[in-house]
Amino acid sequence: MIISRHVEKLNIYRAILDFSIIAFSWIFAFILRFNIEIFALTKGSDSLTNYLKLLPILLTSYFFIFLSSGIYKNNLIKKRIWEENYLLTKQHTISFFIFVTLSYFIYDHRYSRLTLAIFFILVIFLLPIGRSLIRKLNRLYLKHNKNKKIAIIIGEGPNSTSLAKIIHSHSDWNLKLAATHSFSAITAIDDYLRKTPVNLIFITPSAHETTKVNEIYKHLDKSLADIFLIPYTGEKTFFNPNPIQFDGITALSLNSSQLHSFGLISKRLFDICFSLLFLICFSPVYLICALLVRLSSPGPIFFKQERMGLDGKKFNCLKFRGMYVDAEAKSGPVWAKSNDNRTTPIGKWLRKTSLDEIPQFINVLKGEMSVVGPRPERPVFVDDFKEQIPGYLLRHKVKAGITGWAQVNGWRGNTSLEKRIECDLWYIQNWNFWLDMKIVFLTPVKGLIHPNAY
């Protein structure tokens, strides 16, 4: 595929420079430790030959981890610099510990721990510098390169304008957008292809152009250009379409989450471990809250309320009771509000500090909820909101959570429901394990106490 050839070359250069940096850092770490009088020698000197023996194991460890992690994958998604550096550091750390473990079992020689530490730190600093060098050289090359690959866009679909902007922003694709045509300009397209050597053609039909895709494709069968179809999926899609193969038939999943296979396992393991640890460590707080609820007003300590979770399944969500018994007997199911006379004095404090939600870790252990996810809502409200807010039900594509992306961004309690759903859908579409960790660490700072929590 033409669009990825330049990226493939860049990845080769990145790999060559990465492993050159790793080898250089290993040798330079030895020099800093034993040949330059920066660190005092306490147990005698060592031979560089002993350290060079480890180079094959070192490079092999890094090669397999870097390759399996997808660092050199031909990914056309533009990464932020900090994301690339974070991924490099993470894979470097994994590779380093594998290398240390292997060297311990393979060689009897005692290697300097300080040399290992110097090497580890050097690689953390030098790998991002190497990537920065590749980026600058690539920009310099593309600035003076006159042989850019030619691309055209055919169609007036909702993605055509966005695609044009993306092509202009991705200098590393080595593409030049030469023209855009509508489906009605078939003759002009034929003339253009005869006169101009086009390398890539993007077909982006609008709703009324969809039926003409096959006709356009027939006109392109004499061109050697790579052809990409970006199908019309509606003016607004909540998730990015995800291609799936059904025994040779390609389908687009329009509303699937990023949470599947290994992600589900890692998330569940984290939920169990974190919930157990939290309940054990905060058991005194748990007992104090239970005692305060018992003393505040007659009634049970826990309040069970039906909520909707994964795939629309209902479950009983646990909370410390913050309202008087039968509080909704007169009002019916309504959202809590400021100065709500149904709430007990202790209940107001528990809700303000979010301590009333501690029992939901039991729901997490039972598999009904997750530590991180969209907050669960009552079925009676779900029935209303799904009619009012487009895409509302998609938040049930994952387990409901105790905390979430909406909560750490300030959208909780009596705030904009649309903004909350926007955050929930963004979380589902962009889920990864480290996003969950970020939300967990942000929750005590941004999500625990909120003026709209009552």
Side-chain angles (χ1 to χ4, degrees):
M1 187 171 65
I2 289 173
I3 195 171
S4 64
R5 286 174 191 166
H6 184 70
V7 179
E8 286 174 0
K9 289 179 182 177
L10 279 179
N11 281 333
I12 291 171
Y13 297 143
R14 289 185 184 114
I16 292 171
L17 189 56
D18 285 348
F19 286 94
S20 298
I21 286 171
I22 292 166
F24 166 79
S25 299
W26 181 244
I27 296 169
F28 191 56
F30 172 86
I31 294 171
L32 286 176
R33 175 67 182 93
F34 294 106
N35 292 11
I36 299 177
E37 295 183 1
I38 297 176
F39 306 100
L41 295 176
T42 57
K43 295 184 179 180
S45 186
D46 205 338
S47 168
L48 179 60
T49 305
N50 290 326
Y51 283 78
L52 291 178
K53 288 178 182 178
L54 283 180
L55 262 181
I57 299 174
L58 176 72
L59 296 176
T60 302
S61 301
Y62 277 80
F63 176 79
F64 280 109
I65 296 301
F66 275 36
L67 207 63
S68 62
S69 68
I71 284 181
Y72 304 117
K73 188 179 179 181
N74 291 334
N75 198 330
L76 299 178
I77 298 174
K78 195 172 186 177
K79 286 191 178 75
R80 296 185 182 95
I81 293 174
W82 72 265
E83 288 177 326
E84 183 181 40
N85 291 342
Y86 168 76
L87 185 60
L88 282 171
T89 303
K90 185 175 82 169
Q91 303 309 327
H92 158 53
T93 304
I94 296 170
S95 305
F96 175 78
F97 283 106
I98 290 175
F99 158 66
V100 171
T101 304
L102 288 174
S103 63
Y104 176 81
F105 285 106
I106 294 173
Y107 290 101
D108 294 330
H109 186 79
R110 289 179 61 85
Y111 294 93
S112 166
R113 285 171 292 181
L114 185 55
T115 305
L116 292 171
I118 295 170
F119 165 75
F120 182 79
I121 294 168
L122 278 175
V123 174
I124 287 177
F125 282 101
L126 293 181
L127 280 181
I129 292 173
R131 291 303 180 96
S132 178
L133 178 63
I134 291 289
R135 283 191 294 269
K136 288 178 180 178
L137 290 174
N138 184 49
R139 282 195 292 267
L140 187 65
Y141 164 75
L142 293 173
K143 183 179 179 181
H144 297 285
N145 178 35
K146 305 299 182 184
N147 298 318
K148 289 184 181 294
K149 303 301 180 183
I150 303 300
I152 65 170
I153 295 175
I154 301 175
E156 298 174 338
N159 289 313
S160 57
T161 304
S162 301
L163 178 61
K165 291 178 181 177
I166 290 170
I167 291 173
H168 287 306
S169 68
H170 273 275
S171 59
D172 56 330
W173 287 0
N174 196 29
L175 281 182
K176 177 185 177 183
L177 181 60
T180 57
H181 298 276
S182 66
F183 271 44
S184 59
I186 293 178
T187 305
I189 293 169
D190 287 339
D191 291 340
Y192 190 88
L193 292 176
R194 278 196 298 268
K195 297 174 183 177
T196 310
V198 175
N199 304 109
L200 286 98
I201 300 172
F202 295 96
I203 303 175
T204 59
S206 61
H208 69 276
E209 291 173 332
T210 300
T211 56
K212 300 177 183 177
V213 169
N214 193 48
E215 183 182 349
I216 288 291
Y217 183 65
K218 286 179 180 178
H219 278 267
L220 302 177
D221 66 352
K222 296 179 180 63
S223 173
L224 286 173
D226 287 341
I227 301 172
F228 296 90
L229 172 64
I230 302 175
Y232 177 79
T233 56
E235 294 300 322
K236 182 176 181 180
T237 53
F238 299 99
F239 294 160
N240 293 327
N242 183 32
I244 298 175
Q245 290 286 331
F246 289 99
D247 198 13
I249 298 175
T250 303
L252 287 180
S253 173
L254 301 180
N255 63 352
S256 61
S257 76
Q258 295 298 309
L259 186 56
H260 46 75
S261 61
F262 180 74
L264 283 170
I265 297 171
S266 61
K267 189 173 176 68
R268 182 61 185 148
L269 286 174
F270 171 76
D271 284 344
I272 294 170
C273 295
F274 186 87
S275 298
L276 285 172
L277 187 64
F278 187 93
L279 288 173
I280 292 169
C281 293
F282 288 86
S283 55
V285 177
Y286 192 95
L287 293 172
I288 290 170
C289 289
L291 180 62
L292 290 173
V293 171
R294 172 63 74 187
L295 296 174
S296 65
S297 65
I301 293 173
F302 296 112
F303 174 66
K304 295 180 181 181
Q305 192 174 65
E306 190 178 58
R307 298 288 176 109
M308 190 174 286
L310 177 65
D311 295 330
K313 293 178 181 177
K314 298 172 185 177
F315 67 96
N316 287 321
C317 183
L318 294 174
K319 299 180 82 171
F320 282 126
R321 183 174 57 83
M323 290 186 174
Y324 295 103
V325 175
D326 297 327
E328 290 188 337
K330 293 181 180 180
S331 65
V334 293
W335 266 19
K337 57 187 178 180
S338 181
N339 299 317
D340 198 326
N341 58 15
R342 301 174 303 164
T343 308
T344 66
I346 290 300
K348 290 178 182 178
W349 176 74
L350 288 174
R351 286 167 173 255
K352 200 73 176 176
T353 57
S354 300
L355 291 173
D356 63 322
E357 294 170 2
I358 291 178
Q360 287 168 29
F361 283 103
I362 297 173
N363 289 116
V364 175
L365 289 174
K366 290 169 67 178
E368 297 166 334
M369 291 179 66
S370 179
V371 174
V372 181
R375 289 293 295 150
E377 194 50 84
R378 298 170 68 178
V380 63
F381 293 137
V382 171
D383 290 339
D384 290 336
F385 295 152
K386 71 180 181 182
E387 302 297 334
Q388 300 171 18
I389 304 170
Y392 180 85
L393 278 181
L394 293 177
R395 65 200 301 270
H396 298 102
K397 286 288 181 178
V398 296
K399 286 182 182 179
I402 295 175
T403 183
W405 186 240
Q407 282 64 46
V408 298
N409 280 282
W411 304 110
R412 59 170 295 189
N414 193 15
T415 55
S416 170
L417 194 58
E418 287 79 7
K419 288 290 184 182
R420 196 185 311 175
I421 302 310
E422 185 180 313
C423 286
D424 288 341
L425 297 186
W426 183 91
Y427 167 79
I428 295 169
Q429 178 67 22
N430 295 278
W431 180 88
N432 62 68
F433 184 77
W434 303 108
L435 177 60
D436 272 6
M437 295 301 100
K438 179 180 179 179
I439 293 170
V440 167
F441 286 115
L442 284 175
T443 296
V445 181
K446 294 187 174 182
L448 202 59
I449 298 175
H450 195 274
N452 290 314
Y454 36 74

